[in-house]
Amino acid sequence: MDHQPNNPLHGVKLEQIINKLVEHYGWQALGNEIAINCFRSDPSVKSSLKFLRKTPWAREKVEQLYVDTFAGNTTTEKADPWAAALKKLDSDA
């Protein structure tokens, strides 16, 4: 099995992606972010998985939203610019 340390989706299942996006955005906001019926009309994880597995363009949009939402928030500095500034001040002193 290939190791892909720079791929933020490596080892993450589609079901995990959907669950985390729904937890973060909610179904309504997720449907506003990505305009597909499986998020807008009677949404469920099961129906979303079925649609996304058959529709590559929609899956790409969902995966990209996941990366944009969660991949960049792994460090405190990106989440909190003040923490980054204080860390820099401490290292300069």
Side-chain angles (χ1 to χ4, degrees):
M1 183 182 220
D2 292 330
H3 292 285
Q4 301 177 6
N6 294 328
N7 181 354
L9 296 174
H10 181 70
V12 181
K13 295 182 178 185
L14 183 57
E15 185 174 2
Q16 293 170 314
I17 291 172
I18 294 170
N19 284 327
K20 195 160 182 182
L21 287 172
V22 169
E23 181 182 309
H24 182 78
Y25 288 103
W27 286 112
Q28 186 173 2
L30 189 55
N32 291 337
E33 288 288 326
I34 303 173
I36 53 179
N37 282 338
C38 67
F39 293 158
R40 292 180 165 197
S41 177
D42 195 25
S44 72
V45 173
K46 185 177 177 181
S47 67
S48 299
L49 284 170
K50 186 175 179 180
F51 175 76
L52 294 172
R53 286 180 178 141
K54 293 191 288 185
T55 316
W57 65 265
R59 182 177 181 148
E60 287 177 21
K61 287 186 176 207
V62 169
E63 289 174 344
Q64 189 60 52
L65 179 62
Y66 178 85
V67 169
D68 292 345
T69 303
F70 299 111
N73 292 333
T74 57
T75 63
T76 306
E77 289 88 7
K78 289 187 180 182
D80 184 6
W82 291 108
L86 289 173
K87 185 176 180 182
K88 184 174 180 184
L89 286 174
D90 289 342
S91 67
D92 289 342

